[in-house]
mmCIF file of all heavy atoms in Angstrom:
data_model
loop_
_atom_site.group_PDB
_atom_site.id
_atom_site.type_symbol
_atom_site.label_atom_id
_atom_site.label_comp_id
_atom_site.label_asym_id
_atom_site.label_seq_id
_atom_site.Cartn_x
_atom_site.Cartn_y
_atom_site.Cartn_z
ATOM 1 N N PHE A 18 61.411 103.361 32.453
ATOM 2 C CA PHE A 18 59.970 103.902 32.989
ATOM 3 C C PHE A 18 58.988 102.943 32.422
ATOM 4 O O PHE A 18 59.001 102.506 31.382
ATOM 5 C CB PHE A 18 59.704 105.390 32.407
ATOM 6 C CG PHE A 18 60.805 106.291 32.832
ATOM 7 C CD1 PHE A 18 61.765 106.704 31.953
ATOM 8 C CD2 PHE A 18 60.859 106.692 34.106
ATOM 9 C CE1 PHE A 18 62.825 107.636 32.379
ATOM 10 C CE2 PHE A 18 61.785 107.626 34.484
ATOM 11 C CZ PHE A 18 62.719 108.071 33.653
ATOM 12 N N GLN A 19 57.980 102.779 33.273
ATOM 13 C CA GLN A 19 56.801 102.033 32.886
ATOM 14 C C GLN A 19 55.710 102.862 32.638
ATOM 15 O O GLN A 19 55.477 103.785 33.292
ATOM 16 C CB GLN A 19 56.587 100.790 33.911
ATOM 17 C CG GLN A 19 57.639 99.846 33.806
ATOM 18 C CD GLN A 19 57.298 98.670 34.734
ATOM 19 O OE1 GLN A 19 56.979 98.952 35.788
ATOM 20 N NE2 GLN A 19 57.590 97.492 34.210
ATOM 21 N N ARG A 20 54.983 102.550 31.637
ATOM 22 C CA ARG A 20 53.883 103.396 31.218
ATOM 23 C C ARG A 20 52.763 103.323 32.310
ATOM 24 O O ARG A 20 52.340 102.289 32.645
ATOM 25 C CB ARG A 20 53.236 102.780 29.943
ATOM 26 C CG ARG A 20 52.685 103.794 28.940
ATOM 27 C CD ARG A 20 51.884 103.134 27.932
ATOM 28 N NE ARG A 20 50.696 103.841 27.746
ATOM 29 C CZ ARG A 20 50.594 105.040 27.206
ATOM 30 N NH1 ARG A 20 51.754 105.553 26.633
ATOM 31 N NH2 ARG A 20 49.572 105.829 27.049
ATOM 32 N N PRO A 21 52.391 104.481 32.890
ATOM 33 C CA PRO A 21 51.368 104.437 33.806
ATOM 34 C C PRO A 21 49.989 104.097 33.249
ATOM 35 O O PRO A 21 49.851 104.340 32.031
ATOM 36 C CB PRO A 21 51.274 105.825 34.423
ATOM 37 C CG PRO A 21 51.926 106.672 33.337
ATOM 38 C CD PRO A 21 52.872 105.917 32.495
ATOM 39 N N SER A 22 49.123 103.453 34.012
ATOM 40 C CA SER A 22 47.825 103.109 33.426
ATOM 41 C C SER A 22 47.023 104.330 33.192
ATOM 42 O O SER A 22 47.358 105.507 33.684
ATOM 43 C CB SER A 22 47.009 102.320 34.530
ATOM 44 O OG SER A 22 46.656 103.124 35.580
ATOM 45 N N TRP A 23 45.931 104.093 32.274
ATOM 46 C CA TRP A 23 45.219 105.335 31.849
ATOM 47 C C TRP A 23 44.543 105.958 33.056
ATOM 48 O O TRP A 23 44.458 107.148 33.189
ATOM 49 C CB TRP A 23 44.108 104.819 30.944
ATOM 50 C CG TRP A 23 44.591 104.597 29.566
ATOM 51 C CD1 TRP A 23 44.856 103.450 28.968
ATOM 52 C CD2 TRP A 23 45.183 105.495 28.619
ATOM 53 N NE1 TRP A 23 45.445 103.589 27.740
ATOM 54 C CE2 TRP A 23 45.620 104.837 27.475
ATOM 55 C CE3 TRP A 23 45.304 106.924 28.609
ATOM 56 C CZ2 TRP A 23 46.219 105.518 26.441
ATOM 57 C CZ3 TRP A 23 45.944 107.586 27.627
ATOM 58 C CH2 TRP A 23 46.437 106.919 26.481
ATOM 59 N N LEU A 24 44.073 105.103 33.968
ATOM 60 C CA LEU A 24 43.494 105.659 35.194
ATOM 61 C C LEU A 24 44.347 106.581 36.002
ATOM 62 O O LEU A 24 43.949 107.757 36.274
ATOM 63 C CB LEU A 24 42.977 104.538 36.175
ATOM 64 C CG LEU A 24 42.110 104.932 37.296
ATOM 65 C CD1 LEU A 24 40.858 105.530 36.855
ATOM 66 C CD2 LEU A 24 41.922 103.780 38.289
ATOM 67 N N SER A 25 45.576 106.131 36.243
ATOM 68 C CA SER A 25 46.408 107.013 37.033
ATOM 69 C C SER A 25 46.894 108.293 36.289
ATOM 70 O O SER A 25 47.001 109.376 36.982
ATOM 71 C CB SER A 25 47.692 106.240 37.606
ATOM 72 O OG SER A 25 48.202 105.466 36.671
ATOM 73 N N SER A 26 47.048 108.095 34.934
ATOM 74 C CA SER A 26 47.290 109.330 34.303
ATOM 75 C C SER A 26 46.187 110.308 34.364
ATOM 76 O O SER A 26 46.326 111.571 34.549
ATOM 77 C CB SER A 26 47.577 109.079 32.770
ATOM 78 O OG SER A 26 48.147 107.922 32.591
ATOM 79 N N GLY A 27 44.912 109.688 34.168
ATOM 80 C CA GLY A 27 43.710 110.586 34.299
ATOM 81 C C GLY A 27 43.554 111.377 35.606
ATOM 82 O O GLY A 27 43.444 112.541 35.593
ATOM 83 N N LEU A 28 43.862 110.588 36.776
ATOM 84 C CA LEU A 28 43.759 111.148 38.026
ATOM 85 C C LEU A 28 44.758 112.253 38.254
ATOM 86 O O LEU A 28 44.542 113.358 38.851
ATOM 87 C CB LEU A 28 43.848 109.979 39.093
ATOM 88 C CG LEU A 28 42.764 109.124 39.292
ATOM 89 C CD1 LEU A 28 43.051 108.062 40.257
ATOM 90 C CD2 LEU A 28 41.493 109.877 39.759
ATOM 91 N N PHE A 29 46.091 111.961 37.721
ATOM 92 C CA PHE A 29 47.168 112.980 37.912
ATOM 93 C C PHE A 29 46.729 114.339 37.185
ATOM 94 O O PHE A 29 46.921 115.362 37.737
ATOM 95 C CB PHE A 29 48.426 112.358 37.343
ATOM 96 C CG PHE A 29 49.531 113.416 37.632
ATOM 97 C CD1 PHE A 29 50.127 113.508 38.878
ATOM 98 C CD2 PHE A 29 50.042 114.025 36.474
ATOM 99 C CE1 PHE A 29 51.150 114.445 39.050
ATOM 100 C CE2 PHE A 29 51.178 114.972 36.754
ATOM 101 C CZ PHE A 29 51.677 115.065 37.993
ATOM 102 N N ALA A 30 46.251 114.125 35.992
ATOM 103 C CA ALA A 30 45.791 115.354 35.148
ATOM 104 C C ALA A 30 44.707 116.071 35.973
ATOM 105 O O ALA A 30 44.834 117.427 36.013
ATOM 106 C CB ALA A 30 45.285 114.903 33.921
ATOM 107 N N LEU A 31 43.801 115.372 36.539
ATOM 108 C CA LEU A 31 42.668 116.033 37.332
ATOM 109 C C LEU A 31 43.341 116.898 38.417
ATOM 110 O O LEU A 31 42.958 117.908 38.707
ATOM 111 C CB LEU A 31 41.820 115.009 37.902
ATOM 112 C CG LEU A 31 40.553 114.786 37.036
ATOM 113 C CD1 LEU A 31 39.701 113.766 37.697
ATOM 114 C CD2 LEU A 31 39.668 116.067 36.956
ATOM 115 N N PHE A 32 44.285 116.117 39.160
ATOM 116 C CA PHE A 32 44.809 116.862 40.320
ATOM 117 C C PHE A 32 45.654 118.039 39.963
ATOM 118 O O PHE A 32 45.577 119.134 40.557
ATOM 119 C CB PHE A 32 45.825 115.835 41.047
ATOM 120 C CG PHE A 32 46.679 116.544 42.043
ATOM 121 C CD1 PHE A 32 46.184 116.857 43.272
ATOM 122 C CD2 PHE A 32 47.992 116.862 41.815
ATOM 123 C CE1 PHE A 32 46.800 117.459 44.171
ATOM 124 C CE2 PHE A 32 48.809 117.541 42.894
ATOM 125 C CZ PHE A 32 48.277 117.795 44.043
ATOM 126 N N LEU A 33 46.380 117.981 38.833
ATOM 127 C CA LEU A 33 47.113 119.126 38.274
ATOM 128 C C LEU A 33 46.266 120.259 37.981
ATOM 129 O O LEU A 33 46.485 121.482 38.420
ATOM 130 C CB LEU A 33 47.991 118.587 37.022
ATOM 131 C CG LEU A 33 49.093 119.631 36.776
ATOM 132 C CD1 LEU A 33 50.182 119.437 37.820
ATOM 133 C CD2 LEU A 33 49.718 119.184 35.424
#
Side-chain angles (χ1 to χ4, degrees):
Chain A
F18 298 104
Q19 284 184 319
R20 217 194 133 71
S22 74
W23 285 110
L24 183 67
S25 42
S26 325
L28 284 177
F29 183 72
L31 263 178
F32 170 76
L33 200 65

